[in-house]
Amino acid sequence: MAEKRKITTPDGLVADPPRDYFEDVYAVVRQVPRGRVTTYGAIAQYLSLRAGARMVGWAMSSSHTREDVPAHRVINRLGVLSGKNFFGSPTRMQELLEAEGIHVENDQVVGFKELLWDPSLELN
DNA sequence: TACCTGACCGGGT
DNA sequence: AACCCGGCCAGGT
């Protein structure tokens, strides 16, 4: 996993360098265990991304070519499959989750709070 | 340039 | 949970 780093702007503000946090995001997603899920916000918080959870979603939208990134395990804070339209078919994301024993009802992971894998708690 | 939208989120109501 | 709001910032128009 790439080193977390900060840059300082001429204004003296500390910020994340633009754009290159994509790889950091993928590195975290690759560590989400089978049968567990994580959220955009949890990833953003773990990486201290100033850009926030929204840009984690942006990073994920560019991950479709990466077979080694289990993008289906990333859901929103309410347990909803908000990214399902970025998978081949409308049901693909759900099918991938169910293949891991995760139950989905109405585009929402059943019992997602118990299945949540928070990198801030699980990683060092 | 200005405005809009979006795999988002936390806080307030 | 639901709704609204402001904050976040990359791309498109």
Side-chain angles (χ1 to χ4, degrees):
Chain A
M1 156 119 148
E3 281 297 311
K4 284 189 265 182
R5 62 193 180 82
K6 297 285 190 180
I7 57 175
T8 302
T9 68
D11 300 332
L13 301 176
V14 177
D16 295 290
R19 229 179 304 288
D20 65 5
Y21 53 81
F22 279 33
E23 288 304 324
D24 291 343
V25 171
Y26 302 148
V28 173
V29 177
R30 274 192 284 262
Q31 297 178 73
V32 181
R34 219 185 132 73
R36 302 288 297 280
V37 292
T38 193
T39 70
Y40 307 98
I43 295 171
Q45 184 169 40
Y46 173 70
L47 294 175
S48 302
L49 293 183
R50 202 177 104 86
R54 200 155 202 162
M55 290 304 110
V56 174
W58 179 254
M60 295 311 294
S61 69
S62 302
S63 72
H64 55 88
T65 53
R66 297 170 179 266
E67 298 299 329
D68 58 332
V69 176
H72 59 285
R73 295 176 193 150
V74 185
I75 59 181
N76 76 9
R77 80 183 153 145
L78 300 179
V80 174
L81 281 55
S82 47
K84 67 172 201 166
N85 293 331
F86 284 76
F87 291 76
S89 80
T91 56
R92 184 78 197 285
M93 186 177 187
Q94 176 170 345
E95 290 163 1
L96 290 170
L97 289 170
E98 291 181 330
E100 302 183 0
I102 296 174
H103 299 298
V104 178
E105 282 181 18
N106 297 318
D107 291 335
Q108 186 180 41
V109 170
V110 177
F112 71 92
K113 287 176 184 171
E114 287 69 38
L115 298 176
L116 184 61
W117 184 88
D118 184 343
S120 296
L121 301 178
E122 312 280 356
L123 264 28
N124 287 323

